Amino acid sequence: MWRFQREMKEDKGARWFELECVPKEYIFPKEYRPQNLDSPVCDSIPVISLAKSKAENGHSQPVEEILKASQELGFFQVINHGIPEKTVTDAMNVLKEFFDMQAKDTTTVTVPHKKGYIYTNSTYFAKDGVHLWRENVKHPCHPLEECIHLWPASPTRYQEVIAAYMVEIQKLSTRILEMICEGLGLEQGYFKDTSEVQFLSSNFYPPCPDPSLTLGLLPHIDPSLITILYQGGSTGLQVMKDGQWVNVGAIPNAFVVNIGNQLEIISNWKFKSAKHQVVTSTYETRLSIATFVNPSPNWIIEPAKNLVNELEPTLYKASQNMVNELELTLYKATQNMVNVLEPALYKPIQYKDYLLHSNAFGDDTAALQNGLR
Ligand code: OGA
Ligand code: NI
């Protein structure tokens, strides 16, 4: 009897993922379930050292490599990036602590905080009645001094540690955008002052009893210029390449960089913005920190003027790229909901309107737009 009671008690304290079977609310219909879970990692996602500076064709080596990767798949990893390991480890530790604390605070489980940051547990992510196998926290990061006091106040080190991480990420993103400018032939500073609107979004994906039934993150394209992701040396990220889901390798201390759909448009579709998703693992917890480097809200997103010429006209026909429903949804957003049966040409719109029409961050879009104030 005593043992029975003790087990009951322990069960009560168990976190939502500490289960032997996947609850039915987390099981996706067959057509959405993950594929290629155990395939080898994809070696066509380049690993680029930012320390190399040998010039080739007039550009330094990292510029050439970033240009090629952005044109081919829109995904690459960077190493030798200069961000101190301790800054990153501290950020990962404080976020892990943050997620552990939410498990203990049962009063805030489903209602997202609307004050400065949004925390959501796994039951909040209903997609056609199915939940994702993750928890998430997100908040704006620019200007740092105006946002920092709105971030979680516990763990007590959260604000200090994440601010230090963001300072480094902002330096890295500026550096990468400058290399992209050079590679594309845009004038230096093209993205300066227009790319400072940054969100941090951290996902906690606990181990799952059966990864073949669940998803950590639905297939999506990032609504950013670029996204810089730290994945702590764990697997789970998959990218759509030639119609197949391929696994992104886990490289300790590297950052995954991907081209967002806004930069795809600015580049006059020279760059690709690839669809990606996250699958779960039976034994590994994945903790990720994504920073979205977004255009400023009033920037009218359209192909950069000097990337448009007679050979590469700016006109973007719906039929050319509409390969699936997801892209169609994003496209509709850029069209201000024109009739998709009569595809229109690409119509430039302000980034803030795009975000609202595409509902890029789901129910949280408006809150994030307003800086959560
Ligand atoms: C994202 C994303 C991947 C991850 O937040 O847009 O793709 O591993 N995240 O959490
Ligand atoms: Ni993403």
Side-chain angles (χ1 to χ4, degrees), residues 75 217-218 220-223 227 229 237 258 274 276-277 290 292:
F75 259 84
L217 200 55
L218 286 168
H220 67 282
I221 295 171
D222 290 353
T227 304
L229 178 82
L237 182 63
N258 64 286
H276 51 285
Q277 67 176 13
F292 297 103

Side-chain angles (χ1 to χ4, degrees), residues 111-332:
V111 184
H113 292 264
K114 290 286 182 203
K115 242 181 133 209
Y117 68 93
I118 295 173
Y119 162 74
T120 35
N121 76 357
S122 70
T123 61
Y124 183 67
F125 292 100
K127 159 79 186 165
D128 302 332
V130 186
H131 301 314
L132 293 172
W133 201 266
R134 74 155 186 182
E135 295 174 41
N136 174 267
V137 63
K138 55 168 97 61
H139 51 69
C141 299
H142 183 83
L144 214 47
E145 22 348 312
E146 282 176 30
C147 302
I148 183 167
H149 66 281
L150 299 166
W151 299 349
S154 52
T156 46
R157 291 174 64 239
Y158 187 98
Q159 297 178 352
E160 175 197 334
V161 163
I162 297 300
Y165 177 80
M166 283 313 303
V167 167
E168 293 296 334
I169 292 293
Q170 285 173 356
K171 278 193 270 179
L172 179 64
S173 62
T174 303
R175 214 172 137 203
I176 292 174
L177 282 172
E178 272 168 12
M179 291 198 254
I180 284 175
C181 257
E182 184 185 332
L184 277 175
L186 297 171
E187 72 260 30
Q188 275 306 315
Y190 189 85
F191 296 106
K192 198 175 175 284
D193 306 327
T194 48
S195 60
E196 291 169 334
V197 183
Q198 306 189 340
F199 291 127
L200 176 143
S201 174
S202 174
N203 289 310
F204 168 75
Y205 307 97
C208 171
D210 188 348
S212 72
L213 304 174
T214 58
L215 278 175
L217 200 55
L218 286 168
H220 67 282
I221 295 171
D222 290 353
S224 57
L225 291 171
I226 56 170
T227 304
I228 299 193
L229 178 82
Y230 188 74
Q231 52 171 4
S234 53
T235 56
L237 182 63
Q238 294 192 321
V239 180
M240 181 59 86
K241 182 174 184 285
D242 305 326
Q244 294 283 323
W245 286 114
V246 299
N247 293 306
V248 177
I251 302 174
N253 209 22
F255 287 90
V256 178
V257 180
N258 64 286
I259 304 298
N261 64 357
Q262 302 301 293
L263 184 54
E264 185 180 40
I265 297 170
I266 293 165
S267 75
N268 199 16
W269 289 274
K270 284 190 166 66
F271 283 5
K272 302 281 180 311
S273 176
K275 190 160 52 158
H276 51 285
Q277 67 176 13
V278 175
V279 297
T280 61
S281 151
T282 34
Y283 53 90
E284 203 181 61
T285 297
R286 174 182 175 87
L287 179 63
S288 69
I289 319 176
T291 307
F292 297 103
V293 182
N294 294 331
S296 48
N298 298 330
W299 192 1
I300 297 171
I301 304 300
E302 60 187 331
K305 297 277 185 290
N306 64 341
L307 297 182
V308 175
N309 54 47
E310 269 176 31
L311 291 176
E312 295 158 304
T314 179
L315 303 179
Y316 174 58
K317 292 202 178 56
S319 53
Q320 286 171 354
N321 283 285
M322 294 306 104
V323 292
N324 61 41
E325 208 186 318
L326 180 79
E327 281 168 21
L328 199 59
T329 313
L330 292 167
Y331 182 71
K332 275 199 283 184

